Amino acid sequence: MVIVDRHKCGHCGACVAVCPVYAIELVGTWIEIGEECKECGLCTQVCPMGSLEVGT
Amino acid sequence: MKDKYDLIVVGAGPGGSIAAKTAAEHGLDVLLIEKRSEIGDPVRCAEGISKEGLRQFIEPDKRWIAARTKGARIYSPDGTKIEMAEDMAGSEVGYVLERKIFDRVLAKNAAMAGAEVMVKTRATSLIIEDGFVRGIRGEHIGEGFEIRSDIVIGADGVESKVGRWAGIDTTLKLSDIESGAQFLMADIDFDPNYCDFYLGNKLAPGGYVWVFPKGKHEANVGLGILGSRSGGMQAIDYLRRFVETHCPDGKILEIIVGGVPVSAPIERTTASGLMLIGDAARMANPITGGGILHAMDSGMMAGEVAASAISRGDVSVKALEEYETRWRSTIGAVIERSYKVKELFMGSSDKELNGLAHTIENVDFTELTIGGLVEALIKKNPKLFWELRHLF
Ligand SMILES: Cc1cc2nc3c(=O)[nH]c(=O)nc-3n(C[C@H](O)[C@H](O)[C@H](O)COP(=O)(O)OP(=O)(O)OC[C@H]3O[C@@H](n4cnc5c(N)ncnc54)[C@H](O)[C@@H]3O)c2cc1C
Ligand code: SF4
Ligand code: SF4
């Protein structure tokens, strides 16, 4: 699973744009990560704030 | 809220609001929805726009113009300066906007033209029947709803899902997205007459640093790095480092972040009953990352095509081909060319960037056309610029 640090996230949507399986949704001022996530880590690389991490 | 409209526009950024206004002016019954509770906030933009470009869509108003600049200064890694007059420097230089107000005024103008506007209203999927998009499902302040329409315009920005729901894959590769961070800073040294750009692989790999004035005492200090070049450091880390060395005493009034599509034109932006515009259609300029004007331009085209398709009673993908053709021959041609230039320069070392700056250091940009510039470059540096000769 990808873990989101909500205190760091700037709700910009960059992660949503790169997720190949559409697992991320920017709801309003927070993001949600769905079960589809295959832990590829692309979203963690693009995040300007470094608020995403592939964890267990 | 009614249960049927002629047109639903998803996303009230500059693209969506212009699309909604245009369609309403052409007599369509329009609904414009925005998932945020405040249109335009948080800002995801350095707010630069060319004067001439802006005037095609709206008369400049001092309520949302934070600064007027007379040109751009580009600094190579060794500090060599290239100065360009404002009208030569592309779609991002001229005015610096206050987008929180600007975006809201555009939405208000859509409302004044007759469009219905709903905030805190998020589309969550499309209604698709017999291969035609026939409306959206969503939530309004937490309540689920279904609304039908003849056409849906996806103006939902970089995080766009509307296209994906209709089977158009708009996922960006890491090498086709800039990861950006910006501080609005006060108490720093800058020239309010210029938009400044700093290049260099150490400062901002695969991107650049910008300092855009927002009045006499504040400036947007930000940068973008290519998603594929982040290498352990995120955009915010690069920005902190730049600020530490260039303006350590500045005060940070706002922190904003964002992603900008810098891809080649995507293969399709239409399906039966659907059009994508602006960042949702990946229309930002791959070199500068400027996307406000392309969003408004494509919004106007899509609004017009929606009106004519609905009046003819045919919203099939074939009927919407007119939109594809129009944006590809204008916006698409610009993106295509810029993408090639981006691909050519993206791998440049700091030494090459310096060499480039030295070549054009003394060129007078107030008189030169782009074609003339490329010719001058080829003469001095044939290997690097030969590939550019067909582009201009
Ligand atoms: C750091 C940074 C700096 C930039 N600097 C510049 C610059 O100086 N000049 C320039 O021209 N461009 C710049 N850009 C690019 C520019 O901001 C965008 O190209 C422009 O905002 C695109 O407009 P748009 O209308 O297509 O999308 P947006 O302005 O992104 O609007 C999309 C809207 O859709 C809403 N939305 C998304 N999903 C849904 C949903 N499911 N339901 C309802 N609403 C939804 C969003 O909340 C948002 O309000 C910059 C971008 C970044 C990130
Ligand atoms: S790790 Fe990959 S699959 Fe999972 S949310 Fe991030 S981008 Fe999507
Ligand atoms: S890219 Fe990072 S800052 Fe932006 S919405 Fe995703 S997690 Fe938040």
Side-chain angles (χ1 to χ4, degrees), chain A residues 10-12 16-19 22 24-27 42 44-50, chain B residues 35 44 122 158-159 161 164 169 171-172 174 179-180 230 234-236 257-258:
Chain A
H11 26 93
C12 71
V16 182
V18 301
C19 178
Y22 313 168
I24 314 181
E25 173 79 1
L26 174 61
V27 177
L42 292 173
T44 66
Q45 277 174 269
V46 85
C47 175
M49 293 299 278
Chain B
K35 70 180 172 188
R44 304 186 286 208
R122 180 171 63 103
V158 71
E159 78 260 41
K161 287 268 174 82
R164 298 180 185 191
D169 187 6
T171 311
L172 292 168
L174 281 185
S179 172
S230 66
Q234 313 298 137
I236 191 83
V257 284

PDB file of all heavy atoms in Angstrom, chain A residues 10-12 16-19 22 24-27 42 44-50, chain B residues 35 44 122 158-159 161 164 169 171-172 174 179-180 230 234-236 257-258:
ATOM      1  N   GLY A  10      -0.051  18.684  -0.292  1.00  0.00           N
ATOM      2  CA  GLY A  10      -0.559  20.009  -0.687  1.00  0.00           C
ATOM      3  C   GLY A  10      -1.749  19.899  -1.623  1.00  0.00           C
ATOM      4  O   GLY A  10      -2.097  20.843  -2.320  1.00  0.00           O
ATOM      5  N   HIS A  11      -2.381  18.737  -1.653  1.00  0.00           N
ATOM      6  CA  HIS A  11      -3.509  18.399  -2.536  1.00  0.00           C
ATOM      7  C   HIS A  11      -3.428  19.027  -3.926  1.00  0.00           C
ATOM      8  O   HIS A  11      -4.278  19.823  -4.326  1.00  0.00           O
ATOM      9  CB  HIS A  11      -4.870  18.651  -1.889  1.00  0.00           C
ATOM     10  CG  HIS A  11      -4.910  19.704  -0.822  1.00  0.00           C
ATOM     11  ND1 HIS A  11      -5.220  20.991  -1.081  1.00  0.00           N
ATOM     12  CD2 HIS A  11      -4.653  19.652   0.509  1.00  0.00           C
ATOM     13  CE1 HIS A  11      -5.181  21.693   0.026  1.00  0.00           C
ATOM     14  NE2 HIS A  11      -4.831  20.905   1.011  1.00  0.00           N
ATOM     15  N   CYS A  12      -2.390  18.620  -4.669  1.00  0.00           N
ATOM     16  CA  CYS A  12      -2.162  19.210  -5.993  1.00  0.00           C
ATOM     17  C   CYS A  12      -2.599  18.300  -7.137  1.00  0.00           C
ATOM     18  O   CYS A  12      -2.802  18.763  -8.252  1.00  0.00           O
ATOM     19  CB  CYS A  12      -0.687  19.550  -6.156  1.00  0.00           C
ATOM     20  SG  CYS A  12       0.385  18.108  -6.318  1.00  0.00           S
ATOM     21  N   VAL A  16      -2.155  11.775  -8.959  1.00  0.00           N
ATOM     22  CA  VAL A  16      -3.296  11.192  -9.669  1.00  0.00           C
ATOM     23  C   VAL A  16      -2.968  11.037 -11.159  1.00  0.00           C
ATOM     24  O   VAL A  16      -3.320  10.042 -11.782  1.00  0.00           O
ATOM     25  CB  VAL A  16      -4.546  12.092  -9.508  1.00  0.00           C
ATOM     26  CG1 VAL A  16      -5.748  11.475 -10.200  1.00  0.00           C
ATOM     27  CG2 VAL A  16      -4.836  12.352  -8.040  1.00  0.00           C
ATOM     28  N   ALA A  17      -2.252  12.044 -11.698  1.00  0.00           N
ATOM     29  CA  ALA A  17      -1.986  12.073 -13.140  1.00  0.00           C
ATOM     30  C   ALA A  17      -1.042  10.968 -13.598  1.00  0.00           C
ATOM     31  O   ALA A  17      -1.045  10.612 -14.772  1.00  0.00           O
ATOM     32  CB  ALA A  17      -1.410  13.440 -13.531  1.00  0.00           C
ATOM     33  N   VAL A  18      -0.207  10.438 -12.711  1.00  0.00           N
ATOM     34  CA  VAL A  18       0.778   9.440 -13.158  1.00  0.00           C
ATOM     35  C   VAL A  18       0.400   8.006 -12.786  1.00  0.00           C
ATOM     36  O   VAL A  18       1.029   7.061 -13.247  1.00  0.00           O
ATOM     37  CB  VAL A  18       2.203   9.734 -12.607  1.00  0.00           C
ATOM     38  CG1 VAL A  18       2.671  11.117 -13.056  1.00  0.00           C
ATOM     39  CG2 VAL A  18       2.283   9.586 -11.096  1.00  0.00           C
ATOM     40  N   CYS A  19      -0.626   7.832 -11.955  1.00  0.00           N
ATOM     41  CA  CYS A  19      -0.954   6.473 -11.504  1.00  0.00           C
ATOM     42  C   CYS A  19      -1.519   5.645 -12.663  1.00  0.00           C
ATOM     43  O   CYS A  19      -2.579   5.959 -13.195  1.00  0.00           O
ATOM     44  CB  CYS A  19      -1.958   6.492 -10.356  1.00  0.00           C
ATOM     45  SG  CYS A  19      -2.404   4.814  -9.859  1.00  0.00           S
ATOM     46  N   TYR A  22      -5.103   4.148 -11.999  1.00  0.00           N
ATOM     47  CA  TYR A  22      -6.145   5.080 -11.540  1.00  0.00           C
ATOM     48  C   TYR A  22      -6.548   4.830 -10.081  1.00  0.00           C
ATOM     49  O   TYR A  22      -7.725   4.903  -9.719  1.00  0.00           O
ATOM     50  CB  TYR A  22      -7.414   4.989 -12.403  1.00  0.00           C
ATOM     51  CG  TYR A  22      -7.210   4.997 -13.902  1.00  0.00           C
ATOM     52  CD1 TYR A  22      -8.255   4.672 -14.764  1.00  0.00           C
ATOM     53  CD2 TYR A  22      -5.984   5.341 -14.479  1.00  0.00           C
ATOM     54  CE1 TYR A  22      -8.102   4.692 -16.139  1.00  0.00           C
ATOM     55  CE2 TYR A  22      -5.821   5.360 -15.858  1.00  0.00           C
ATOM     56  CZ  TYR A  22      -6.880   5.031 -16.677  1.00  0.00           C
ATOM     57  OH  TYR A  22      -6.727   5.046 -18.039  1.00  0.00           O
ATOM     58  N   ILE A  24      -5.610   6.523  -7.419  1.00  0.00           N
ATOM     59  CA  ILE A  24      -5.628   7.687  -6.529  1.00  0.00           C
ATOM     60  C   ILE A  24      -6.761   8.637  -6.900  1.00  0.00           C
ATOM     61  O   ILE A  24      -7.047   8.854  -8.076  1.00  0.00           O
ATOM     62  CB  ILE A  24      -4.289   8.460  -6.599  1.00  0.00           C
ATOM     63  CG1 ILE A  24      -3.111   7.491  -6.521  1.00  0.00           C
ATOM     64  CG2 ILE A  24      -4.205   9.498  -5.485  1.00  0.00           C
ATOM     65  CD1 ILE A  24      -1.749   8.153  -6.566  1.00  0.00           C
ATOM     66  N   GLU A  25      -7.398   9.193  -5.883  1.00  0.00           N
ATOM     67  CA  GLU A  25      -8.433  10.199  -6.115  1.00  0.00           C
ATOM     68  C   GLU A  25      -8.171  11.389  -5.193  1.00  0.00           C
ATOM     69  O   GLU A  25      -7.921  11.223  -4.001  1.00  0.00           O
ATOM     70  CB  GLU A  25      -9.809   9.572  -5.828  1.00  0.00           C
ATOM     71  CG  GLU A  25     -10.983  10.543  -5.867  1.00  0.00           C
ATOM     72  CD  GLU A  25     -11.466  10.899  -7.274  1.00  0.00           C
ATOM     73  OE1 GLU A  25     -10.920  10.391  -8.265  1.00  0.00           O
ATOM     74  OE2 GLU A  25     -12.405  11.717  -7.370  1.00  0.00           O
ATOM     75  N   LEU A  26      -8.136  12.598  -5.802  1.00  0.00           N
ATOM     76  CA  LEU A  26      -8.039  13.823  -5.009  1.00  0.00           C
ATOM     77  C   LEU A  26      -9.466  14.255  -4.719  1.00  0.00           C
ATOM     78  O   LEU A  26     -10.171  14.740  -5.596  1.00  0.00           O
ATOM     79  CB  LEU A  26      -7.277  14.899  -5.791  1.00  0.00           C
ATOM     80  CG  LEU A  26      -7.194  16.297  -5.182  1.00  0.00           C
ATOM     81  CD1 LEU A  26      -6.489  16.281  -3.846  1.00  0.00           C
ATOM     82  CD2 LEU A  26      -6.463  17.240  -6.134  1.00  0.00           C
ATOM     83  N   VAL A  27      -9.912  14.029  -3.495  1.00  0.00           N
ATOM     84  CA  VAL A  27     -11.339  14.209  -3.197  1.00  0.00           C
ATOM     85  C   VAL A  27     -11.669  15.681  -2.998  1.00  0.00           C
ATOM     86  O   VAL A  27     -12.587  16.213  -3.593  1.00  0.00           O
ATOM     87  CB  VAL A  27     -11.741  13.378  -1.960  1.00  0.00           C
ATOM     88  CG1 VAL A  27     -13.201  13.630  -1.618  1.00  0.00           C
ATOM     89  CG2 VAL A  27     -11.515  11.900  -2.227  1.00  0.00           C
ATOM     90  N   LEU A  42       5.457   5.162  -8.697  1.00  0.00           N
ATOM     91  CA  LEU A  42       5.538   6.347  -9.578  1.00  0.00           C
ATOM     92  C   LEU A  42       5.025   7.600  -8.876  1.00  0.00           C
ATOM     93  O   LEU A  42       5.610   8.677  -8.978  1.00  0.00           O
ATOM     94  CB  LEU A  42       4.737   6.097 -10.865  1.00  0.00           C
ATOM     95  CG  LEU A  42       5.313   5.042 -11.807  1.00  0.00           C
ATOM     96  CD1 LEU A  42       4.342   4.756 -12.948  1.00  0.00           C
ATOM     97  CD2 LEU A  42       6.652   5.500 -12.363  1.00  0.00           C
ATOM     98  N   THR A  44       5.104   8.337  -5.774  1.00  0.00           N
ATOM     99  CA  THR A  44       6.032   8.838  -4.748  1.00  0.00           C
ATOM    100  C   THR A  44       7.120   9.695  -5.392  1.00  0.00           C
ATOM    101  O   THR A  44       7.619  10.626  -4.790  1.00  0.00           O
ATOM    102  CB  THR A  44       6.702   7.685  -3.969  1.00  0.00           C
ATOM    103  OG1 THR A  44       7.552   6.952  -4.865  1.00  0.00           O
ATOM    104  CG2 THR A  44       5.690   6.739  -3.365  1.00  0.00           C
ATOM    105  N   GLN A  45       7.466   9.369  -6.643  1.00  0.00           N
ATOM    106  CA  GLN A  45       8.516  10.122  -7.328  1.00  0.00           C
ATOM    107  C   GLN A  45       8.047  11.498  -7.784  1.00  0.00           C
ATOM    108  O   GLN A  45       8.814  12.449  -7.778  1.00  0.00           O
ATOM    109  CB  GLN A  45       9.019   9.335  -8.541  1.00  0.00           C
ATOM    110  CG  GLN A  45      10.068   8.289  -8.176  1.00  0.00           C
ATOM    111  CD  GLN A  45      10.408   7.459  -9.387  1.00  0.00           C
ATOM    112  OE1 GLN A  45       9.790   6.418  -9.623  1.00  0.00           O
ATOM    113  NE2 GLN A  45      11.363   7.901 -10.176  1.00  0.00           N
ATOM    114  N   VAL A  46       6.798  11.600  -8.181  1.00  0.00           N
ATOM    115  CA  VAL A  46       6.327  12.875  -8.735  1.00  0.00           C
ATOM    116  C   VAL A  46       5.858  13.837  -7.638  1.00  0.00           C
ATOM    117  O   VAL A  46       5.786  15.040  -7.848  1.00  0.00           O
ATOM    118  CB  VAL A  46       5.214  12.633  -9.781  1.00  0.00           C
ATOM    119  CG1 VAL A  46       3.842  12.503  -9.119  1.00  0.00           C
ATOM    120  CG2 VAL A  46       5.184  13.760 -10.811  1.00  0.00           C
ATOM    121  N   CYS A  47       5.562  13.331  -6.469  1.00  0.00           N
ATOM    122  CA  CYS A  47       4.973  14.180  -5.421  1.00  0.00           C
ATOM    123  C   CYS A  47       5.914  15.321  -5.026  1.00  0.00           C
ATOM    124  O   CYS A  47       6.998  15.077  -4.518  1.00  0.00           O
ATOM    125  CB  CYS A  47       4.627  13.346  -4.194  1.00  0.00           C
ATOM    126  SG  CYS A  47       4.037  14.369  -2.835  1.00  0.00           S
ATOM    127  N   PRO A  48       5.500  16.575  -5.249  1.00  0.00           N
ATOM    128  CA  PRO A  48       6.388  17.710  -4.955  1.00  0.00           C
ATOM    129  C   PRO A  48       6.714  17.850  -3.475  1.00  0.00           C
ATOM    130  O   PRO A  48       7.751  18.413  -3.123  1.00  0.00           O
ATOM    131  CB  PRO A  48       5.579  18.940  -5.417  1.00  0.00           C
ATOM    132  CG  PRO A  48       4.441  18.427  -6.201  1.00  0.00           C
ATOM    133  CD  PRO A  48       4.213  17.004  -5.812  1.00  0.00           C
ATOM    134  N   MET A  49       5.849  17.354  -2.610  1.00  0.00           N
ATOM    135  CA  MET A  49       6.047  17.521  -1.175  1.00  0.00           C
ATOM    136  C   MET A  49       6.724  16.314  -0.521  1.00  0.00           C
ATOM    137  O   MET A  49       7.083  16.368   0.651  1.00  0.00           O
ATOM    138  CB  MET A  49       4.697  17.734  -0.468  1.00  0.00           C
ATOM    139  CG  MET A  49       3.994  19.029  -0.802  1.00  0.00           C
ATOM    140  SD  MET A  49       4.956  20.478  -0.338  1.00  0.00           S
ATOM    141  CE  MET A  49       4.549  20.607   1.401  1.00  0.00           C
ATOM    142  N   GLY A  50       6.827  15.213  -1.236  1.00  0.00           N
ATOM    143  CA  GLY A  50       7.373  14.004  -0.621  1.00  0.00           C
ATOM    144  C   GLY A  50       6.433  13.445   0.433  1.00  0.00           C
ATOM    145  O   GLY A  50       6.867  12.958   1.478  1.00  0.00           O
TER     146      GLY A  50
ATOM    147  N   LYS B  35     -15.282  20.756  -7.782  1.00  0.00           N
ATOM    148  CA  LYS B  35     -15.283  19.963  -6.552  1.00  0.00           C
ATOM    149  C   LYS B  35     -14.800  20.740  -5.336  1.00  0.00           C
ATOM    150  O   LYS B  35     -15.137  20.415  -4.204  1.00  0.00           O
ATOM    151  CB  LYS B  35     -14.437  18.704  -6.748  1.00  0.00           C
ATOM    152  CG  LYS B  35     -12.948  18.931  -6.852  1.00  0.00           C
ATOM    153  CD  LYS B  35     -12.228  17.588  -7.053  1.00  0.00           C
ATOM    154  CE  LYS B  35     -10.761  17.818  -7.351  1.00  0.00           C
ATOM    155  NZ  LYS B  35     -10.080  16.572  -7.737  1.00  0.00           N
ATOM    156  N   ARG B  44      -2.590  26.639  -8.183  1.00  0.00           N
ATOM    157  CA  ARG B  44      -1.511  25.732  -8.608  1.00  0.00           C
ATOM    158  C   ARG B  44      -0.843  26.359  -9.812  1.00  0.00           C
ATOM    159  O   ARG B  44      -0.914  25.824 -10.902  1.00  0.00           O
ATOM    160  CB  ARG B  44      -2.087  24.363  -8.979  1.00  0.00           C
ATOM    161  CG  ARG B  44      -2.892  23.735  -7.861  1.00  0.00           C
ATOM    162  CD  ARG B  44      -3.319  22.340  -8.191  1.00  0.00           C
ATOM    163  NE  ARG B  44      -4.404  22.322  -9.178  1.00  0.00           N
ATOM    164  CZ  ARG B  44      -5.297  21.345  -9.255  1.00  0.00           C
ATOM    165  NH1 ARG B  44      -5.241  20.317  -8.425  1.00  0.00           N
ATOM    166  NH2 ARG B  44      -6.234  21.371 -10.161  1.00  0.00           N
ATOM    167  N   ARG B 122     -18.511  17.170  -6.967  1.00  0.00           N
ATOM    168  CA  ARG B 122     -17.455  16.401  -7.629  1.00  0.00           C
ATOM    169  C   ARG B 122     -18.050  15.314  -8.509  1.00  0.00           C
ATOM    170  O   ARG B 122     -18.919  14.557  -8.057  1.00  0.00           O
ATOM    171  CB  ARG B 122     -16.561  15.766  -6.556  1.00  0.00           C
ATOM    172  CG  ARG B 122     -15.397  14.936  -7.083  1.00  0.00           C
ATOM    173  CD  ARG B 122     -14.472  14.538  -5.950  1.00  0.00           C
ATOM    174  NE  ARG B 122     -15.166  13.679  -4.996  1.00  0.00           N
ATOM    175  CZ  ARG B 122     -14.998  12.352  -4.920  1.00  0.00           C
ATOM    176  NH1 ARG B 122     -14.145  11.753  -5.713  1.00  0.00           N
ATOM    177  NH2 ARG B 122     -15.661  11.647  -4.035  1.00  0.00           N
ATOM    178  N   VAL B 158      -5.046  18.706 -14.184  1.00  0.00           N
ATOM    179  CA  VAL B 158      -3.972  17.718 -14.246  1.00  0.00           C
ATOM    180  C   VAL B 158      -4.422  16.370 -13.685  1.00  0.00           C
ATOM    181  O   VAL B 158      -4.016  15.315 -14.154  1.00  0.00           O
ATOM    182  CB  VAL B 158      -2.702  18.250 -13.530  1.00  0.00           C
ATOM    183  CG1 VAL B 158      -2.865  18.305 -12.023  1.00  0.00           C
ATOM    184  CG2 VAL B 158      -1.477  17.431 -13.899  1.00  0.00           C
ATOM    185  N   GLU B 159      -5.315  16.397 -12.677  1.00  0.00           N
ATOM    186  CA  GLU B 159      -5.756  15.134 -12.044  1.00  0.00           C
ATOM    187  C   GLU B 159      -6.947  14.519 -12.766  1.00  0.00           C
ATOM    188  O   GLU B 159      -7.655  13.689 -12.205  1.00  0.00           O
ATOM    189  CB  GLU B 159      -6.093  15.371 -10.573  1.00  0.00           C
ATOM    190  CG  GLU B 159      -7.448  16.025 -10.281  1.00  0.00           C
ATOM    191  CD  GLU B 159      -7.327  17.525  -9.994  1.00  0.00           C
ATOM    192  OE1 GLU B 159      -6.546  18.218 -10.692  1.00  0.00           O
ATOM    193  OE2 GLU B 159      -8.029  18.012  -9.093  1.00  0.00           O
ATOM    194  N   LYS B 161      -9.938  12.739 -14.514  1.00  0.00           N
ATOM    195  CA  LYS B 161     -10.422  11.363 -14.580  1.00  0.00           C
ATOM    196  C   LYS B 161     -11.469  11.221 -15.681  1.00  0.00           C
ATOM    197  O   LYS B 161     -11.769  10.113 -16.108  1.00  0.00           O
ATOM    198  CB  LYS B 161     -11.061  10.960 -13.245  1.00  0.00           C
ATOM    199  CG  LYS B 161     -10.081  10.727 -12.088  1.00  0.00           C
ATOM    200  CD  LYS B 161      -9.667   9.273 -11.988  1.00  0.00           C
ATOM    201  CE  LYS B 161      -8.587   9.021 -10.944  1.00  0.00           C
ATOM    202  NZ  LYS B 161      -9.116   8.909  -9.587  1.00  0.00           N
ATOM    203  N   ARG B 164     -10.361   9.342 -18.694  1.00  0.00           N
ATOM    204  CA  ARG B 164     -10.089   7.943 -18.354  1.00  0.00           C
ATOM    205  C   ARG B 164     -11.377   7.143 -18.208  1.00  0.00           C
ATOM    206  O   ARG B 164     -11.460   5.994 -18.629  1.00  0.00           O
ATOM    207  CB  ARG B 164      -9.292   7.872 -17.053  1.00  0.00           C
ATOM    208  CG  ARG B 164      -7.925   8.537 -17.142  1.00  0.00           C
ATOM    209  CD  ARG B 164      -7.254   8.407 -15.798  1.00  0.00           C
ATOM    210  NE  ARG B 164      -5.975   9.105 -15.721  1.00  0.00           N
ATOM    211  CZ  ARG B 164      -5.126   8.956 -14.709  1.00  0.00           C
ATOM    212  NH1 ARG B 164      -5.406   8.138 -13.718  1.00  0.00           N
ATOM    213  NH2 ARG B 164      -4.000   9.597 -14.676  1.00  0.00           N
ATOM    214  N   ASP B 169      -6.941   7.172 -22.368  1.00  0.00           N
ATOM    215  CA  ASP B 169      -5.892   7.070 -21.354  1.00  0.00           C
ATOM    216  C   ASP B 169      -5.036   8.336 -21.356  1.00  0.00           C
ATOM    217  O   ASP B 169      -4.283   8.581 -22.287  1.00  0.00           O
ATOM    218  CB  ASP B 169      -5.012   5.841 -21.619  1.00  0.00           C
ATOM    219  CG  ASP B 169      -4.030   5.618 -20.479  1.00  0.00           C
ATOM    220  OD1 ASP B 169      -4.112   6.336 -19.462  1.00  0.00           O
ATOM    221  OD2 ASP B 169      -3.169   4.730 -20.618  1.00  0.00           O
ATOM    222  N   THR B 171      -2.992   9.095 -18.744  1.00  0.00           N
ATOM    223  CA  THR B 171      -1.932   8.928 -17.744  1.00  0.00           C
ATOM    224  C   THR B 171      -0.623   9.506 -18.265  1.00  0.00           C
ATOM    225  O   THR B 171      -0.252   9.283 -19.420  1.00  0.00           O
ATOM    226  CB  THR B 171      -1.731   7.423 -17.444  1.00  0.00           C
ATOM    227  OG1 THR B 171      -2.995   6.852 -17.186  1.00  0.00           O
ATOM    228  CG2 THR B 171      -0.811   7.218 -16.252  1.00  0.00           C
ATOM    229  N   LEU B 172       0.070  10.268 -17.417  1.00  0.00           N
ATOM    230  CA  LEU B 172       1.328  10.884 -17.842  1.00  0.00           C
ATOM    231  C   LEU B 172       2.522  10.041 -17.391  1.00  0.00           C
ATOM    232  O   LEU B 172       2.579   9.587 -16.249  1.00  0.00           O
ATOM    233  CB  LEU B 172       1.449  12.289 -17.241  1.00  0.00           C
ATOM    234  CG  LEU B 172       0.460  13.329 -17.765  1.00  0.00           C
ATOM    235  CD1 LEU B 172       0.494  14.587 -16.894  1.00  0.00           C
ATOM    236  CD2 LEU B 172       0.770  13.687 -19.216  1.00  0.00           C
ATOM    237  N   LEU B 174       6.400   9.697 -16.195  1.00  0.00           N
ATOM    238  CA  LEU B 174       7.170  10.596 -15.316  1.00  0.00           C
ATOM    239  C   LEU B 174       7.986  11.599 -16.119  1.00  0.00           C
ATOM    240  O   LEU B 174       8.258  12.703 -15.658  1.00  0.00           O
ATOM    241  CB  LEU B 174       8.106   9.791 -14.414  1.00  0.00           C
ATOM    242  CG  LEU B 174       7.482   9.114 -13.191  1.00  0.00           C
ATOM    243  CD1 LEU B 174       8.582   8.474 -12.345  1.00  0.00           C
ATOM    244  CD2 LEU B 174       6.670  10.082 -12.354  1.00  0.00           C
ATOM    245  N   SER B 179       7.052  18.414 -11.772  1.00  0.00           N
ATOM    246  CA  SER B 179       6.624  18.450 -10.380  1.00  0.00           C
ATOM    247  C   SER B 179       7.044  19.802  -9.826  1.00  0.00           C
ATOM    248  O   SER B 179       8.226  20.131  -9.813  1.00  0.00           O
ATOM    249  CB  SER B 179       7.316  17.293  -9.652  1.00  0.00           C
ATOM    250  OG  SER B 179       7.104  17.367  -8.267  1.00  0.00           O
ATOM    251  N   GLY B 180       6.079  20.614  -9.399  1.00  0.00           N
ATOM    252  CA  GLY B 180       6.387  22.005  -9.070  1.00  0.00           C
ATOM    253  C   GLY B 180       6.104  22.383  -7.629  1.00  0.00           C
ATOM    254  O   GLY B 180       5.218  21.819  -6.982  1.00  0.00           O
ATOM    255  N   SER B 230      13.635  13.365 -10.428  1.00  0.00           N
ATOM    256  CA  SER B 230      13.579  13.800  -9.033  1.00  0.00           C
ATOM    257  C   SER B 230      14.700  13.180  -8.190  1.00  0.00           C
ATOM    258  O   SER B 230      15.199  13.835  -7.281  1.00  0.00           O
ATOM    259  CB  SER B 230      12.207  13.524  -8.418  1.00  0.00           C
ATOM    260  OG  SER B 230      11.966  12.150  -8.328  1.00  0.00           O
ATOM    261  N   GLN B 234      12.732  15.942  -3.699  1.00  0.00           N
ATOM    262  CA  GLN B 234      11.462  16.370  -4.265  1.00  0.00           C
ATOM    263  C   GLN B 234      11.546  17.857  -4.617  1.00  0.00           C
ATOM    264  O   GLN B 234      12.455  18.566  -4.175  1.00  0.00           O
ATOM    265  CB  GLN B 234      10.328  16.135  -3.265  1.00  0.00           C
ATOM    266  CG  GLN B 234      10.317  14.789  -2.622  1.00  0.00           C
ATOM    267  CD  GLN B 234      10.127  13.642  -3.601  1.00  0.00           C
ATOM    268  OE1 GLN B 234      10.805  12.628  -3.505  1.00  0.00           O
ATOM    269  NE2 GLN B 234       9.210  13.792  -4.555  1.00  0.00           N
ATOM    270  N   ALA B 235      10.553  18.333  -5.370  1.00  0.00           N
ATOM    271  CA  ALA B 235      10.542  19.738  -5.792  1.00  0.00           C
ATOM    272  C   ALA B 235      10.695  20.685  -4.604  1.00  0.00           C
ATOM    273  O   ALA B 235      11.443  21.666  -4.657  1.00  0.00           O
ATOM    274  CB  ALA B 235       9.246  20.033  -6.555  1.00  0.00           C
ATOM    275  N   ILE B 236      10.008  20.382  -3.513  1.00  0.00           N
ATOM    276  CA  ILE B 236      10.057  21.271  -2.346  1.00  0.00           C
ATOM    277  C   ILE B 236      11.481  21.355  -1.771  1.00  0.00           C
ATOM    278  O   ILE B 236      11.907  22.416  -1.296  1.00  0.00           O
ATOM    279  CB  ILE B 236       9.027  20.822  -1.261  1.00  0.00           C
ATOM    280  CG1 ILE B 236       8.856  21.865  -0.167  1.00  0.00           C
ATOM    281  CG2 ILE B 236       9.389  19.489  -0.639  1.00  0.00           C
ATOM    282  CD1 ILE B 236       7.906  22.965  -0.492  1.00  0.00           C
ATOM    283  N   VAL B 257       1.931  23.731  -4.364  1.00  0.00           N
ATOM    284  CA  VAL B 257       2.573  22.685  -5.156  1.00  0.00           C
ATOM    285  C   VAL B 257       1.676  22.292  -6.316  1.00  0.00           C
ATOM    286  O   VAL B 257       0.471  22.603  -6.306  1.00  0.00           O
ATOM    287  CB  VAL B 257       2.890  21.426  -4.306  1.00  0.00           C
ATOM    288  CG1 VAL B 257       4.092  21.660  -3.432  1.00  0.00           C
ATOM    289  CG2 VAL B 257       1.700  20.972  -3.482  1.00  0.00           C
ATOM    290  N   GLY B 258       2.245  21.617  -7.316  1.00  0.00           N
ATOM    291  CA  GLY B 258       1.401  21.220  -8.436  1.00  0.00           C
ATOM    292  C   GLY B 258       2.158  20.423  -9.485  1.00  0.00           C
ATOM    293  O   GLY B 258       3.388  20.424  -9.502  1.00  0.00           O
TER     294      GLY B 258
END
